[in-house]
Every structure is written in C-alpha cells, then in structure tokens.
Amino acid sequence: MPPFPSPDTAGDPSQTHGDGARIVHDERLHVPLWWWPVAAIVIGLLGYEIQLAMHGSEFSPIVYAVLAPLAAWLLWSMGRTRVWVADGELWAGKAHLPITLIDRAASIPASAKSAAMGRQLDPAAFLAHKFWIKTMVLLVLDDPDDPTPYWLVSTRHPAELIAALGMADAAAESTD
C-alpha cells in the first residue's frame, strides 16, 4: 500500500510522512464549492416532487433524510482524487508512476483542454481527468515496455506539479 501523506503535512515540501516519505506536491481535486448549495437546491426540489407524489404521506419527510446524505456522499466521493509527488513517484488517484519514466512534461491550459481530450487523444493514454478542473499536465513517457504513451492529469496548479517533478514545462519553452 502506498505511503499516503497526512493532511497536516500536505502541500508543505519540507514535511515528511511518518514513514519517511518526502512530500513535494500534494493536491486534492475537490469539486467547486458552489456545487454544494446547488446540491441543496436540487435536494429540495427533488424532495418536494417526491413528497407531492406521496400525497403528503407521514413518511414523505424521510425522502429528505435519504437524499441529503446521498448527495453529500456523491459530491464528497467525486472530490476524493489526489495528485501528489513523493519519493520520486507521481501519484494520481490510485495509479503511480516513477518520475524516472517521464521524458517531458507540458502544461495544458484551459483553452487547449478540449483538443487534448478530443480527437488528438491517444486511446492508450492514461487519464486522471476531472471535468471541473480546467487545466491539465501532459506527461510523455519514456518506457519501451509500457504501451501507455503519455499521462494526462488534471491539476489546478500545473506549474507547481511540473516543478515538483523536477522538470521544465515544455509548453512554456515552445512559446518562448
């Protein structure tokens, strides 16, 4: 099992995990905060519709007690994915990649995300994609034994992730 960093050391490169794992970069891909009030409104509307369908039964308030935890669990589970770099490995969710296998890295801005995820996407590529995160990092692999040509990883901080990998941003170099 991987040495997951504790939340109190997350994001602080000077900190280490209890088993000695040095954390260079840590990011949790939470859903946007505005989704929570929208979920509450949807629960209210859906609960009211079900309550009307039950013709004001004495059990109709139970609908809200069921929908609220279900919506909270859904939003929480959607935002559980972590992207972090520790001890020479990149972790994206449950997948990990030794940094030594990465040939080059490039940030993908929000304006180029649809092209990267569209027709240009190689079906053999590994995706750690969250649609609510606008930017990504492209990691081109240099491993002849692996059929995966590259990884696309969602991140809110592409420059920080690339720096944590100890690489230069190939996209920034090509525009200079």
Side-chain angles (χ1 to χ4, degrees):
M1 203 66 200
F4 290 109
S6 62
D8 57 337
T9 62
D12 185 358
S14 65
Q15 297 294 323
T16 59
H17 187 254
D19 60 0
R22 184 169 178 274
I23 302 157
V24 182
H25 175 80
D26 189 10
E27 176 182 10
R28 188 172 297 271
L29 305 179
H30 295 289
V31 297
L33 288 176
W34 65 268
W35 284 20
W36 291 89
V38 169
I41 292 169
V42 169
I43 289 167
L45 290 172
L46 187 60
Y48 183 68
E49 288 293 325
I50 294 171
Q51 190 174 8
L52 286 175
M54 295 177 76
H55 303 292
S57 168
E58 59 194 45
F59 298 109
S60 59
I62 294 174
V63 171
Y64 298 100
V66 170
L67 289 177
L70 185 64
W73 173 81
L74 179 67
L75 291 177
W76 173 79
S77 67
M78 288 174 67
R80 288 185 57 206
T81 304
R82 292 174 75 175
V83 175
W84 57 290
V85 178
D87 288 340
E89 286 193 312
L90 166 71
W91 291 83
K94 293 181 180 179
H96 63 97
L97 175 69
I99 295 174
T100 56
L101 297 180
I102 302 173
D103 186 35
R104 62 187 181 277
S107 61
I108 298 177
S111 59
K113 181 178 177 181
S114 64
M117 296 293 294
R119 299 179 108 187
Q120 296 177 5
L121 180 68
D122 187 327
F126 173 79
L127 298 178
H129 174 248
K130 298 296 179 187
F131 69 90
W132 58 87
I133 305 218
K134 303 292 183 207
T135 54
M136 301 182 88
V137 171
L138 169 73
L139 305 168
V140 180
L141 305 184
D142 184 24
D143 185 7
D145 297 330
D146 189 355
T148 307
Y150 59 87
W151 280 30
L152 279 173
V153 180
S154 292
T155 178
R156 288 187 176 97
H157 311 287
E160 292 175 19
L161 178 58
I162 292 172
L165 294 171
M167 307 186 118
D169 189 348
E173 291 173 359
S174 66
T175 60
D176 291 343

